[in-house]
Amino acid sequence: MSDDTIDRFFGYLNWLFNPFHGLKTTEVYDLIGTSSLTENALYLNLGYWREANTIDEASEALALLVAKRGGMGPGDTVLDCGYGFGDQDILWMRNMKPEKIIGLNITSSQVERARKSVADAGLEKSIDLREGSATGMPIDNESIDLVVSVESAFHYRTREDFFKETFRVLRPGGRLVTADIVPTENSDNPFRRIEQWFSWNLVAGKFNIPQDNYYVIPSYQDKLSKAGFAHIDIKSIRDDVYEPLHEYLAKNRTFVGKMHPLAKIMAQLTLNRSAESVYAGLDYILSYSEKP
């Protein structure tokens, strides 16, 4: 067994089973690597399942939902924060045809792979993927028409700093769209509240969600407003994300075979539980706002 395999084994062991130590965001995604659920791309999002039948279709549908909600189109300069392996940027350029997409991502291994995918697609002149932070953007003031963040804003330290930076780089009339994960409102049932607490804290702990980002939809709206945004619209789309994803994965467990042996244990335990229990504490929102 190679040193790399041993290091990876103990990395997974520490991440999955050590309740006292979490990994940094970059360490989590370096550990996961290219272990995407999708077959034809390397999407890392959970998907939008209203009309999708496979994880690939659902992942593309979520990316397109975000783009369409933001009115992405010709002439737009788009900033994609947390672009993963770049598949969504290629999809948007081919389908929505913005003028330019700039990406920011702090995980070096993803940046390298995403740049190669963009180059292989022949789109390096219109898609500029950079290594950089969404909370300290190396972007000029009022230079962007649309900022998007697909399943990454919950990582930011903090999401409020991301809102402030986004407001700075957007032109007047510019838009912000996030597909984001937040806690659910507490249930009146004390047993359900325990289930919600366990569900949220398990995900938040393993995926390095800062406590500053532990807030529900009304607070999300308030923080956007305080950052200067207007025409704020936040909708929960959790019913089109978690339950159909769980049902699909429970029936199609071939993806488990691609996972690290220790990750397989957690995956099997999760899929043997109901979606209502697994995702009890997790809301999933599509957020839209504008800079006046």
Side-chain angles (χ1 to χ4, degrees), residues 76-207:
D76 280 337
T77 298
V78 178
L79 177 61
D80 181 14
C81 295
Y83 53 80
F85 291 106
D87 291 283
Q88 61 204 23
D89 303 292
I90 295 169
L91 178 73
W92 291 335
M93 188 56 68
R94 287 173 172 168
N95 287 270
M96 314 306 290
K97 304 186 186 306
E99 181 72 20
K100 185 178 184 65
I101 297 176
I102 301 169
L104 294 177
N105 192 330
I106 63 170
T107 305
S108 300
S109 58
Q110 291 184 344
V111 174
E112 182 179 356
R113 180 63 179 263
R115 285 174 176 167
K116 183 180 185 304
S117 295
V118 166
D120 289 345
L123 294 171
E124 63 267 40
K125 290 184 179 179
S126 52
I127 300 177
D128 175 13
L129 301 183
R130 307 176 186 177
E131 185 170 346
S133 171
T135 59
M137 300 177 182
I139 305 292
D140 292 339
N141 293 348
E142 299 189 353
S143 60
I144 303 295
D145 299 294
L146 171 64
V147 175
V148 292
S149 179
V150 180
E151 283 185 31
S152 58
F154 52 83
H155 286 306
Y156 302 155
R157 294 184 181 271
T158 64
R159 195 190 279 121
E160 288 180 82
D161 289 330
F162 165 64
F163 292 160
K164 292 173 185 176
E165 276 290 85
T166 295
F167 193 85
R168 177 183 66 80
V169 304
L170 281 175
R171 297 185 176 106
R175 298 92 65 199
L176 166 64
V177 179
T178 66
D180 208 351
I181 296 173
V182 299
T184 51
E185 296 272 5
N186 282 335
S187 170
D188 292 333
N189 185 314
F191 296 105
R192 180 63 172 175
R193 283 203 302 273
I194 293 172
E195 197 169 40
Q196 289 175 318
W197 180 90
F198 182 80
S199 169
W200 171 260
N201 281 279
L202 180 62
V203 170
K206 295 307 172 190
F207 286 91

Side-chain angles (χ1 to χ4, degrees), residues 35 37 252-261 263-264 267-268:
S35 299
L37 297 178
N252 301 274
R253 300 198 181 195
T254 53
F255 84 96
V256 176
K258 300 190 296 182
M259 301 175 75
H260 188 278
K264 288 180 186 180
Q268 296 286 10

Side-chain angles (χ1 to χ4, degrees), residues 192 195-196 198-200 273-282:
R192 180 63 172 175
E195 197 169 40
Q196 289 175 318
F198 182 80
S199 169
W200 171 260
R273 295 166 56 204
S274 70
E276 184 179 3
S277 173
V278 171
Y279 303 103
L282 306 178

